[in-house]
Amino acid sequence: MSKDDLVLLDFWVSPFSLRVKIALEEKGLSYVAREEDIFGGKSDLLLKSNPIYEKVPVLLHNGKPIVESANIVYYIDETWASPRLLPACAYGRSRARFWADFIDKKVFDAGSSIWKSKGEELESAKKEFIDVLKKLEGAMGGKDYFGGDEFGFVDIVLIGLVAWFDAYEKCGGFKIEEECPKIGSWIKKCKKRESVAKILPNPQQVCEFVGMLRKGHGIE
């Protein structure tokens, strides 16, 4: 079995799977994406590979499972050195890990609260989501990317979540580009990258998927 025998247990619209695929593309690695039926019945391989959380993504490297998406991206960067995704200095890496953790704890949950809500709860959810994005704008400062002038680890952690942003806008009746222009500009810049453009799903399909979730939750 070769060093680069890689299988990704995947779900097409999972923002966490998307970030792993973008990291793999950035490294120029060949991999097989194995789609999981996360609603109808998870595979024995997924349950065996991630028995604690029983969820995607899982990266199998020579049969050995690596779980949790940010951890997987970190593993990819450690295992395949070029191009570097994390900063070279210890301080830069610690800062990157901090903001990646912030994104994981705040962005998806805040966005999910938008499509799960209506009325006053929806307005509160929108406010929280926009506040989170504004904090990320502050973290970016005057640079093009979170790591500075180069697309890197924090950008990858966030850009997978961007796949759902159109759905949040549609559900909430707002535009991220108007509320957070720096994030809007960053999104446009990232989407021009081959690795991102190749991986992010069609926004309309994501909106349809979120619409299905809303109906399942009795919101629509």
Side-chain angles (χ1 to χ4, degrees):
M1 197 176 280
S2 71
K3 179 187 176 184
D4 295 349
D5 184 33
L6 298 167
V7 176
L8 178 67
L9 305 186
D10 185 27
F11 182 60
W12 72 275
V13 78
S14 164
F16 305 103
S17 292
L18 294 172
R19 64 169 56 148
V20 173
K21 287 189 277 191
I22 290 168
L24 291 167
E25 293 289 339
E26 283 288 325
K27 295 286 186 174
L29 298 169
S30 297
Y31 64 97
V32 174
R34 175 170 167 168
E35 187 77 3
E36 289 285 334
D37 183 357
I38 64 171
F39 296 113
K42 299 172 183 178
S43 73
D44 290 340
L45 180 59
L46 175 59
L47 299 179
K48 177 183 176 181
S49 301
N50 192 0
I52 304 300
Y53 295 116
E54 300 183 352
K55 64 182 182 180
V56 297
V58 177
L59 181 67
L60 298 168
H61 182 201
N62 291 344
K64 295 180 179 179
I66 304 99
V67 301
E68 292 296 279
S69 60
N71 181 54
I72 297 171
V73 175
Y74 188 85
Y75 174 86
I76 290 169
D77 197 40
E78 278 199 316
T79 306
W80 293 275
S82 181
R84 182 187 296 273
L85 301 178
L86 278 154
C89 69
Y91 176 75
R93 291 194 298 274
S94 70
R95 183 173 170 80
R97 285 193 293 266
F98 171 85
W99 284 110
D101 183 65
F102 175 85
I103 290 165
D104 272 349
K105 288 177 177 175
K106 297 291 186 178
V107 177
F108 186 73
D109 285 349
S112 295
S113 294
I114 293 173
W115 70 257
K116 291 178 179 177
S117 306
K118 54 185 176 181
E120 290 184 5
E121 289 185 358
L122 174 59
E123 292 305 311
S124 177
K126 282 165 49 179
K127 184 177 183 302
E128 180 184 359
F129 180 72
I130 290 167
D131 181 64
V132 168
L133 294 188
K134 287 186 179 296
K135 285 183 170 63
L136 288 171
E137 285 188 320
M140 193 183 305
K143 301 294 186 178
D144 287 339
Y145 300 104
F146 285 96
D149 297 324
E150 300 292 333
F151 183 81
F153 181 76
V154 180
D155 303 288
I156 290 173
V157 168
L158 182 57
I159 197 62
L161 300 174
V162 167
W164 288 54
F165 281 15
D166 288 86
Y168 301 156
E169 290 179 334
K170 183 178 179 181
C171 294
F174 70 106
K175 288 291 184 183
I176 289 168
E177 190 172 12
E178 295 174 1
E179 300 286 348
C180 303
K182 193 180 296 183
I183 290 292
S185 176
W186 171 83
I187 291 171
K188 287 181 179 179
K189 195 179 287 93
C190 290
K191 284 184 174 181
K192 292 179 181 178
R193 296 186 70 83
E194 183 179 354
S195 63
V196 176
K198 180 179 179 179
I199 295 301
L200 289 189
N202 183 289
Q204 181 58 36
Q205 291 178 321
V206 179
C207 286
E208 290 171 0
F209 177 80
V210 173
M212 180 189 73
L213 293 178
R214 283 170 63 84
K215 289 179 181 177
H217 282 74
I219 300 167
E220 289 186 351

